Amino acid sequence: MPKKPFNWWLLTKMVVGGGAVIIGGPAFVMWVSPTDEELVKKYNPELQKRSREGRYEREKEFDDFVMRLKEYSKSNKPIWAVQKDEESKAKEAEAKIKAEKQSVLDEVRLRKAALRREAGLPVESSDSK
């Protein structure tokens, strides 16, 4: 039985077609997609102003988020477990700070009342601020 000749034309069509899909598809998408600057230019002036004002904060927040994720990934525990632990530690620290502030405020109120008593002035009730 004679051997069939190799179909070079079919291989050429396959390579050209595959290249068009693999390279041309993403190139077409990049060509028709607007850049960030083009999108911002289409905003009304008020939105452009708000976007420019909040840009630094958003970038800083994102950078902080990425840095925290990198720190979380160093642990052997899953990221969400480490994140939950960090959130609980932050809540505890916030509660501690709040309690310290409250104790300082109470101390200031007591000192103020003592000074008023020493001066012979009427002491204000704790309900009024």
Side-chain angles (χ1 to χ4, degrees):
M1 180 167 184
K3 186 176 179 183
K4 285 188 171 182
F6 190 75
N7 193 347
W8 288 102
W9 178 243
L10 179 63
L11 179 64
T12 305
K13 289 193 301 186
M14 288 173 48
V15 168
V16 169
V21 170
I22 292 172
I23 297 169
F28 179 73
V29 169
M30 288 178 15
W31 181 57
V32 298
S33 298
T35 63
D36 291 339
E37 292 82 24
E38 291 172 343
L39 287 175
V40 170
K41 285 180 185 177
K42 291 183 181 183
Y43 291 171
N44 65 26
E46 181 183 330
L47 284 176
Q48 286 180 5
K49 182 180 175 187
R50 277 196 288 169
S51 176
R52 275 185 260 125
E53 288 173 353
R55 183 175 187 172
Y56 176 74
E57 289 83 16
R58 285 191 310 270
E59 287 177 356
K60 182 163 176 32
E61 183 178 311
F62 180 74
D63 290 341
D64 292 342
F65 174 72
V66 170
M67 293 304 292
R68 280 190 311 231
L69 281 181
K70 287 180 181 179
E71 290 175 19
Y72 296 163
S73 67
K74 292 177 184 176
S75 173
N76 291 337
K77 297 191 296 188
I79 290 177
W80 55 88
V82 177
Q83 186 177 18
K84 190 174 181 180
D85 293 343
E86 289 292 325
E87 287 175 359
S88 64
K89 286 180 187 177
K91 285 182 182 179
E92 290 173 6
E94 186 178 320
K96 185 177 179 181
I97 291 172
K98 189 175 182 181
E100 288 175 2
K101 281 184 179 181
Q102 187 62 39
S103 67
V104 169
L105 286 175
D106 291 342
E107 186 178 334
V108 168
R109 283 190 195 118
L110 289 173
R111 285 184 184 178
K112 186 177 178 181
L115 289 174
R116 290 184 71 84
R117 264 188 251 114
E118 286 179 14
L121 298 172
V123 178
E124 295 178 3
S125 65
S126 61
D127 295 336
S128 64
K129 290 185 179 182

